[in-house]
């Protein structure tokens, strides 16, 4: 990756923010605000992250996370590395080091990943 592209990605991931909406005792919904991107229908958050906790006993936890990006610019194949970096940063900030299954919905940049501690 060239330094210019890396700087763009770092600027976006450092400046993104989110707002939490409580969904249930075992799930959270976060609206994701990504600088330079938005939902074309509402002009609001560029996406959302849904974090669902599967609790096993009192110490084991497994998390299913779904990220849905709504800005069509993020669907373009040349933005795959940006989408990947955004989602990786979301996992780091929202979920931390727990075992996580990630499902990303971003047009042609959609993918699934697994994070293991």
């Amino acid at each position: 990756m060239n330094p210019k592209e890396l700087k763009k990605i770092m600027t976006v991931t450092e400046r993104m923010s989110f707002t939490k909406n409580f969904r249930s005792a075992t799930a959270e919904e976060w609206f994701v605000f990504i600088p330079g991107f938005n939902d074309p229908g509402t002009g609001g958050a560029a996406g959302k992250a849904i974090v669902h906790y599967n609790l096993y006993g009192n110490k084991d936890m497994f998390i299913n996370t779904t990220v849905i990006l709504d800005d069509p610019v993020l669907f373009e194949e040349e933005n795959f590395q940006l989408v990947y970096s955004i989602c990786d940063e979301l996992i780091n900030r929202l979920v931390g080091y727990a075992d996580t299954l990630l499902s990303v919905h971003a047009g042609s940049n959609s993918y699934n990943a697994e994070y293991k501690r």
Side-chain angles (χ1 to χ4, degrees):
M1 181 180 313
N2 68 45
K4 185 177 178 182
E5 183 68 20
L6 181 59
K7 184 176 180 182
K8 174 187 170 188
I9 289 171
M10 289 180 66
T11 300
V12 169
T13 57
E14 289 171 357
R15 294 180 45 222
M16 74 178 177
S17 61
F18 15 86
T19 302
K20 179 180 169 182
N21 291 322
F22 188 75
R23 289 175 57 123
S24 73
T26 60
E28 301 170 346
E29 179 180 66
W30 297 81
F31 290 106
V32 181
F33 299 92
I34 304 167
F37 303 94
N38 60 27
D39 179 344
T42 65
K48 69 175 88 173
I50 301 165
V51 181
H52 185 263
Y53 303 94
N54 290 324
L55 304 174
Y56 300 108
N58 58 3
K59 75 173 196 166
D60 295 322
M61 183 169 37
F62 194 83
I63 299 173
N64 292 310
T65 303
T66 302
V67 176
I68 303 166
L69 299 175
D70 296 319
D71 193 320
V73 174
L74 294 170
F75 300 175
E76 298 170 6
E77 290 183 26
E78 61 267 11
N79 287 324
F80 176 76
Q81 191 60 51
L82 176 61
V83 168
Y84 184 88
S85 296
I86 287 168
C87 295
D88 193 52
E89 188 65 21
L90 283 171
I91 292 296
N92 288 334
R93 292 190 198 179
L94 298 178
V95 177
Y97 296 101
D99 291 344
T100 305
L101 283 179
L102 171 65
S103 178
V104 176
H105 301 272
S108 63
N109 289 331
S110 298
Y111 70 95
N112 296 310
E114 183 175 337
Y115 289 77
K116 300 286 280 179
R117 41 179 150 139

